[in-house]
Amino acid sequence: MKKIFLYFFGLANALCYSQTQDLASLASGDYLGMNALFDVDDNLYGYVSLYSYGKSGDRTKKFEYVILDKNLNPIANKEFEGDITAGGYSGYIDFRKKVILRPNSLDYTKIKMSEIFTPRSMEIDLGSNTIQRKTYYNYESGAFKEIDQPKNWKEARKENREEKKEKGYNYESTVVEIKEGGFIAIELKDFGKYTTDNALIKFDENKKEIWRYKYNTSGDKKNNERLRLLDKDDQHIYFLAEKKIQDKKTFSLLVLDIKTGNEVASKPVTGLSDDTLENITSLSSTTRNLDNDKTFDDKIVVIGRNFENKMGTGFARMIVDKKTFEVDTKRMIYYTDMAAFLPKIDEFGYVEKGYHLQPRDVFFLKDGSMGILLEKYKIDFNLGVGKTTDLVYLFTDKNFKIKGVKVFSKEKSLYDNDYLFSQYLNDGNDVVFFYRDFQKNKETKEKNWQLFINTLIGGSFKQEVIPISEKDNFVVTPFVAKEGFILLREYNEKDKYNKVRLERLNY
C-alpha cells in the first residue's frame, strides 16, 4: 500500500485533497459498479454502489445497494432480491425523490432461453431505507392494470400474434406517473406499418380520467400524425407535432393545458428541413444519446443535427418561448459557418484524413450562448472499431453564431471512449469537461494515461493535466462529482483495493 499512497500524494499536488471512501468495505458481495445520482433538476445528489451475492432462487438473485451522499458519506444500504435475468443495475432519482434501480445488463446464463424475461426495475425509499419492485401499469378498456411480473419473450410474442390475428392490430399503451400530479397514458392501435387512433389521456391520483386528447384518428400508410414531447410544467405540455399527408409534411408547436387538455397554441415551425425537424428531439454520438435540450424559466432550447437532402450538413437549434409560444429556428452549416475556424472541413463535416466531427456533449449556458464539443472520428475497417483523434470545442453567441473554435490535440485512440463527462460551474454560467489521452513521454518513450481537466470560465479556457495510468497493478477511473470537484476511483482486484476519492478542482 505504500506505493499507492505515494502515487496519491502526487495527485494531491495537482488537486486539493477532500475525502475518500472504501467501496470494498461497504458490502461483502461482488462489486458490480457505481454511478452518480442526479435529481430532476440535474443536481448531483450522490452515488449508488451495487454488489451481487449470486443466485438465490429459481427466478431471483441477491444484490445489495449502498447509497452515498455527494460527500461520500454512506446514508443507506440494504440487501434485496432482484430478477435472475438482471446482470446489474444503474440508479437514478425520480421526481418523488425515490432511487430507481434500472437493469443495465442482462444475464441469461442461469435460465432457459424459452423462459427469458426482462428484469424489473427496483424502487428505493430513502426515508425508510426500503426497497420494492417498481410498480408499472397497463391501461386498456378504460381500466388500469398493475403489471405484476413481465411475461417472458415467448409468451409475449404469442399473445401479440393472437391479438393481431383476431383484431388486425395490436393495442399498445404506456402509462407514466408525472410530478404535476396523476398519470398520463398514451394509447394507439399498431397495424405494423402504421398506427391509428392515438390518444393522450390524463388521469388524477386516483386513476380517474380527467381529459383525453385524440390525434391521428385516420392514420394509414400515407397519412399520419405524430407528437414528440418537448417539455411539460405545471401549466402546459409542449409537443412538436408532425402531420404527413401523402408525401407532404408539416410541423407545428402544439401546447396543451395540462389541467384540461385544451389546445393553448398550435403554431407552424418553419426554417428547417423536414428531416431536421423529424430528428431534432434526439442527438446521438457514436457511443450514446446526448442530453440535447434544456428548459429555462422562460424557454425550451433544443439542438439537433441539420439535414439537407438526407445528408447531415451541420446543426440546428430550436427555441420555444414559454410565454408567447413563438418558435425560433436557426442553422449552423459545416462548410458555410465553420470553414473560417476549421479550414479543412467539407460540407458534410469531414475534416482531414477522412475523420468526421461527431458530437460528444452539448452545453446550454445561462446567457443564451452554447457550446458543442466534437471529436474527430472514423471507422477503422481493418479492426472494425471506431478511431478518434482531436476534440473540438465550438462556442456560439446567443444567436447561434460561432464565436470561436478551440482544438484540443489528442493522440489517436481506438473505441472512441476518451471523452468522459462534464459539469456546469458558477450557477450555469461556465463549464468544465474532462477527457483522457494515452500519451507517450518524450524522454522515457513510455505511454501513460493522462486526465485533462478543461474549464471555460468567462470565455477563457484553462487546462490541467493529471497522470491516471495504471500503476502498481491498480487502475484509476474518473467519475463526475459535485460542482468544483472530481471523483477518482482507484482499484486493485488482487489486493481487493477499491476506493473512491473526491478532489477539488483548481480554477
Side-chain angles (χ1 to χ4, degrees):
M1 291 299 178
K2 184 177 181 181
K3 290 182 180 179
I4 294 176
F5 173 79
L6 291 174
Y7 177 61
F8 289 160
F9 181 76
L11 282 180
N13 286 334
L15 298 164
C16 299
Y17 169 78
S18 177
Q19 186 174 345
T20 63
Q21 183 59 255
D22 185 358
L23 297 178
S25 69
L26 296 177
S28 58
D30 294 331
Y31 174 78
L32 294 180
M34 182 185 77
N35 74 270
L37 297 171
F38 294 89
D39 63 22
V40 293
D41 297 317
D42 292 328
N43 297 314
L44 181 72
Y45 174 86
Y47 304 88
V48 56
S49 187
L50 264 294
Y51 304 82
S52 174
Y53 294 91
K55 184 178 178 180
S56 59
D58 290 339
R59 294 174 68 90
T60 60
K61 190 186 296 183
K62 182 179 285 189
F63 298 89
E64 183 172 0
Y65 67 82
V66 179
I67 308 294
L68 308 173
D69 67 15
K70 61 184 177 182
N71 296 311
L72 302 185
N73 299 307
I75 58 174
N77 73 286
K78 199 176 191 67
E79 294 181 6
F80 67 95
E81 301 289 335
D83 290 324
I84 197 169
T85 51
Y89 294 87
S90 294
Y92 70 93
I93 297 179
D94 68 8
F95 67 89
R96 301 167 301 163
K97 300 183 180 179
K98 302 288 182 70
V99 176
I100 308 301
L101 299 182
R102 182 168 49 197
N104 60 9
S105 61
L106 302 177
D107 180 5
Y108 294 149
T109 61
K110 297 177 176 63
I111 194 169
K112 295 178 181 179
M113 293 301 290
S114 61
E115 298 177 351
I116 286 175
F117 64 95
T118 302
R120 289 277 297 276
S121 294
M122 307 297 293
E123 178 181 281
I124 301 170
D125 185 323
L126 291 174
S128 60
N129 191 31
T130 56
I131 184 168
Q132 62 182 15
R133 292 181 184 275
K134 181 171 171 56
T135 301
Y136 291 95
Y137 296 98
N138 271 341
Y139 174 79
E140 187 171 3
S141 302
F144 276 72
K145 181 181 179 182
E146 186 173 331
I147 303 172
D148 180 44
Q149 176 65 45
K151 298 181 179 67
N152 66 48
W153 176 80
K154 188 175 182 180
E155 291 173 339
R157 184 179 173 187
K158 181 181 178 181
E159 285 191 8
N160 285 341
R161 284 178 171 174
E162 290 176 350
E163 183 186 33
K164 185 74 175 290
K165 185 177 180 180
E166 177 187 352
K167 300 179 180 178
Y169 62 86
N170 288 125
Y171 173 88
E172 294 185 4
S173 69
T174 303
V175 179
V176 294
E177 189 175 3
I178 60 173
K179 67 179 180 179
E180 293 77 18
F183 301 83
I184 283 184
I186 300 172
E187 68 173 5
L188 56 86
K189 295 177 182 176
D190 184 0
F191 284 83
K193 294 185 178 180
Y194 67 93
T195 65
T196 189
D197 293 328
N198 299 55
L200 186 73
I201 315 164
K202 174 71 167 56
F203 302 87
D204 65 13
E205 290 83 352
N206 298 315
K207 305 181 184 65
K208 177 183 178 182
E209 183 174 324
I210 304 300
W211 54 258
R212 178 181 295 252
Y213 181 83
K214 297 181 179 181
Y215 64 100
N216 195 38
T217 54
S218 303
D220 57 33
K221 293 180 182 179
K222 294 185 177 182
N223 306 284
N224 56 69
E225 297 176 76
R226 297 175 62 185
L227 298 182
R228 294 180 179 86
L229 178 67
L230 296 175
D231 193 39
K232 61 180 175 60
D233 53 36
D234 57 0
Q235 292 183 315
H236 302 117
I237 311 178
Y238 306 83
F239 295 98
L240 180 62
E242 174 189 340
K243 180 177 288 189
K244 179 183 177 183
I245 300 176
Q246 299 297 325
D247 294 326
K248 183 177 175 57
K249 294 180 182 179
T250 56
F251 295 84
S252 61
L253 171 70
L254 173 65
V255 183
L256 302 182
D257 186 306
I258 198 169
K259 294 181 175 65
T260 66
N262 295 331
E263 284 192 17
V264 177
S266 180
K267 296 193 175 185
V269 178
T270 59
L272 300 174
S273 70
D274 290 353
D275 288 336
T276 301
L277 288 170
E278 193 168 346
N279 294 281
I280 199 168
T281 54
S282 64
L283 179 63
S284 61
S285 70
T286 53
T287 55
R288 62 189 178 94
N289 292 324
L290 303 183
D291 187 1
N292 69 318
D293 63 350
K294 190 171 180 65
T295 300
F296 297 88
D297 291 339
D298 60 341
K299 60 181 177 292
I300 305 165
V301 187
V302 185
I303 184 172
R305 295 182 187 272
N306 188 76
F307 293 92
E308 304 294 341
N309 298 319
K310 306 293 183 182
M311 300 294 292
T313 60
F315 297 98
R317 188 191 72 177
M318 180 173 70
I319 295 181
V320 176
D321 188 308
K322 296 178 71 172
K323 294 180 180 178
T324 66
F325 307 125
E326 296 296 327
V327 182
D328 176 75
T329 59
K330 286 184 169 56
R331 303 183 306 160
M332 179 194 298
I333 306 303
Y334 288 129
Y335 186 75
T336 306
D337 298 312
M338 298 186 197
F341 304 94
L342 299 168
K344 295 182 180 180
I345 196 168
D346 72 5
E347 60 183 322
F348 302 119
Y350 286 89
V351 288
E352 66 278 355
K353 299 180 181 179
Y355 283 87
H356 186 264
L357 293 180
Q358 284 288 326
R360 294 291 181 244
D361 214 336
V362 182
F363 307 101
F364 303 87
L365 300 180
K366 216 166 187 180
D367 63 359
S369 64
M370 293 189 62
I372 305 174
L373 186 63
L374 308 161
E375 189 171 30
K376 297 177 182 178
Y377 168 90
K378 71 176 178 181
I379 292 290
D380 187 319
F381 290 101
N382 293 322
L383 298 175
V385 297
K387 183 164 56 178
T388 63
T389 58
D390 306 338
L391 285 165
V392 178
Y393 190 96
L394 182 156
F395 45 104
T396 78
D397 62 16
K398 63 180 181 180
N399 295 313
F400 208 49
K401 296 293 184 183
I402 300 176
K403 289 171 58 179
V405 171
K406 185 170 179 62
V407 178
F408 296 87
S409 297
K410 189 166 61 65
E411 294 294 320
K412 194 179 297 181
S413 290
L414 297 179
Y415 303 108
D416 58 310
N417 59 358
D418 289 344
Y419 180 64
L420 298 172
F421 46 80
S422 65
Q423 62 177 236
Y424 289 102
L425 301 173
N426 304 321
D427 196 28
N429 291 295
D430 303 303
V431 71
V432 57
F433 61 90
F434 305 81
Y435 68 90
R436 63 177 192 166
D437 195 18
F438 198 51
Q439 293 187 338
K440 180 184 288 187
N441 186 292
K442 293 181 180 179
E443 296 180 359
T444 65
K445 306 302 180 183
E446 291 183 352
K447 277 195 167 185
N448 293 287
W449 284 106
Q450 307 285 337
L451 173 66
F452 289 76
I453 304 171
N454 311 276
T455 54
L456 177 61
I457 299 177
S460 299
F461 277 100
K462 179 183 175 183
Q463 185 179 83
E464 287 193 71
V465 185
I466 301 171
I468 57 167
S469 246
E470 181 174 327
K471 196 175 182 70
D472 299 321
N473 296 318
F474 72 94
V475 180
V476 179
T477 305
F479 279 81
V480 68
K482 61 184 179 179
E483 182 174 327
F485 286 78
I486 187 172
L487 183 69
L488 299 174
R489 174 182 173 237
E490 299 95 13
Y491 178 67
N492 181 302
E493 183 176 5
K494 182 179 178 181
D495 294 336
K496 297 190 180 302
Y497 188 89
N498 189 7
K499 288 191 176 182
V500 286
R501 180 184 186 90
L502 273 174
E503 301 284 1
R504 185 186 296 275
L505 304 178
N506 294 322
Y507 67 90

